Amino acid sequence: MTDEIELSIDGQQLQVAPGTTLLEAAEQAGIDVPVICYFGHTTANGLCRMCVVETKGARGLQPACVTAVKQGAEIQTHSPDVVRARRTILEMLAATVDLSEAPEVRRMMDQVEARPERFAGGETRQPPLLDDNPMYIRDYAKCVLCWRCVQVCAEDAQYTYALNFTGRGFHTSIGTFFDKAMPQTTCVFCGQCVGVCPTGALKGKREYLLEQGVAPEAIFQQTRAPRRAGRRGMGDEDVAG
Ligand code: SF4
């Protein structure tokens, strides 16, 4: 097709449709570009900067998830500058956030030989674990601010708007309006935020309690949602207490 864009990625020539992002083009070429905030079912925002690539002749590095292909571009996805940028981002993340339940991020760290101890001794994020509803817990000490949960809660899926950014700079966090407990927000407990969280910051309450060694019967008691008066539905007879 005449309107296709020709470019090279890591020396590999390819043709892609106009509007294709560099991340999609790399995927078409079979090249793995690491991502944290990018998620195939949500709008790309270029927040985490893990997917940065180097374009010959361009100033700085470009986030591949939000940068469209250009005719004749020569892209490097793993140049020394790119790897150094990813390593620094991961080191700063690991020095401030608990990544113990983020295996994909830890794998990326191994790939670039990240040494978070370079940033040891600084302030770390240690907000208290929020356990305010029967469905899921929020442990923002593990949050990397990828924004996936906010996006699925809003226009990308649920249109519920229970979650958003709060705070500024280092103290930016995910939260609710006026820090309300989840049952006092517009949350409908669809669970999509838990499903897209890559770090274990959001976790199903039953999974969390099992990890804490709580007995299954006690877990059932703690996680059974109270039936709302006048709203009996299919299956209520099975869960009525
Ligand atoms: S809670 Fe999870 S999904 Fe939400 S921003 Fe933090 S890491 Fe991302």
Side-chain angles (χ1 to χ4, degrees), residues 87 90-96 109 113-122:
R87 183 186 301 126
L90 289 166
E91 287 173 343
M92 289 195 289
L93 257 188
T96 52
M109 291 178 65
E113 299 178 348
R115 293 183 297 116
E117 59 272 18
R118 289 202 304 134
F119 295 94

Side-chain angles (χ1 to χ4, degrees), residues 206 220-221 223-228 231-241:
R206 289 182 176 176
F220 183 66
Q221 294 296 332
T223 58
R224 183 165 51 184
R227 186 199 302 152
R228 295 184 194 177
R231 293 193 58 185
R232 285 185 66 87
M234 192 170 65
D236 268 10
E237 62 278 11
D238 296 324
V239 297

Side-chain angles (χ1 to χ4, degrees), residues 37 42-45 146-157:
C37 69
T42 56
T43 307
N45 287 303
C146 70
W147 215 27
R148 292 184 188 185
C149 56
V150 176
Q151 288 183 284
V152 293
C153 193
E155 287 96 344
D156 279 341

Side-chain angles (χ1 to χ4, degrees), residues 140 142-150 174 193 196-199 201-202:
Y140 290 129
K142 296 186 173 76
C143 176
V144 294
L145 297 172
C146 70
W147 215 27
R148 292 184 188 185
C149 56
V150 176
I174 305 296
C193 57
V196 299
C197 179
T199 64
L202 304 178

Side-chain angles (χ1 to χ4, degrees), residues 2-237:
T2 53
D3 60 353
E4 292 231 309
I5 306 284
E6 286 192 39
L7 72 162
S8 80
I9 302 184
D10 294 348
Q12 197 177 141
Q13 294 292 329
L14 67 157
Q15 293 185 336
V16 297
T20 303
T21 65
L22 293 175
L23 186 65
E24 291 165 339
E27 204 171 47
Q28 287 178 33
I31 296 166
D32 184 33
V33 175
V35 294
I36 296 178
C37 69
Y38 178 82
F39 184 63
H41 301 286
T42 56
T43 307
N45 287 303
L47 293 177
C48 72
R49 264 18 197 198
M50 276 304 293
C51 69
V52 288
V53 295
E54 187 168 356
T55 304
K56 187 176 179 185
R59 187 163 168 246
L61 303 176
Q62 299 78 46
C65 69
V66 291
T67 305
V69 291
K70 283 196 181 137
Q71 196 67 256
E74 294 177 37
I75 310 296
Q76 291 292 327
T77 65
H78 290 77
S79 69
D81 282 354
V82 165
V83 171
R84 191 179 307 119
R86 289 179 189 149
R87 183 186 301 126
T88 305
I89 290 166
L90 289 166
E91 287 173 343
M92 289 195 289
L93 257 188
T96 52
V97 177
D98 174 5
L99 297 175
S100 60
E101 296 187 44
E104 288 177 27
V105 181
R106 292 167 68 87
R107 181 174 54 81
M108 292 174 205
M109 291 178 65
D110 289 342
Q111 285 172 344
V112 297
E113 299 178 348
R115 293 183 297 116
E117 59 272 18
R118 289 202 304 134
F119 295 94
E123 194 176 351
T124 57
R125 292 174 185 274
Q126 294 181 321
L129 185 141
L130 299 173
D131 180 6
D132 57 14
N133 69 82
M135 306 304 286
Y136 62 97
I137 56 98
R138 293 178 288 148
D139 183 1
Y140 290 129
K142 296 186 173 76
C143 176
V144 294
L145 297 172
C146 70
W147 215 27
R148 292 184 188 185
C149 56
V150 176
Q151 288 183 284
V152 293
C153 193
E155 287 96 344
D156 279 341
Q158 194 65 27
Y159 284 85
T160 299
Y161 304 97
L163 295 168
N164 211 328
F165 276 126
T166 178
R168 291 286 183 273
F170 184 82
H171 300 288
T172 303
S173 175
I174 305 296
T176 59
F177 287 115
F178 301 109
D179 289 330
K180 296 277 189 194
M182 270 301 158
Q184 275 79 59
T185 71
T186 50
C187 179
V188 294
F189 299 100
C190 65
Q192 296 192 79
C193 57
V194 178
V196 299
C197 179
T199 64
L202 304 178
K203 185 179 287 183
K205 184 80 170 275
R206 289 182 176 176
E207 181 184 352
Y208 169 71
L209 291 173
L210 270 174
E211 289 172 356
Q212 301 301 307
V214 179
E217 181 56 31
I219 292 175
F220 183 66
Q221 294 296 332
Q222 288 184 47
T223 58
R224 183 165 51 184
R227 186 199 302 152
R228 295 184 194 177
R231 293 193 58 185
R232 285 185 66 87
M234 192 170 65
D236 268 10
E237 62 278 11

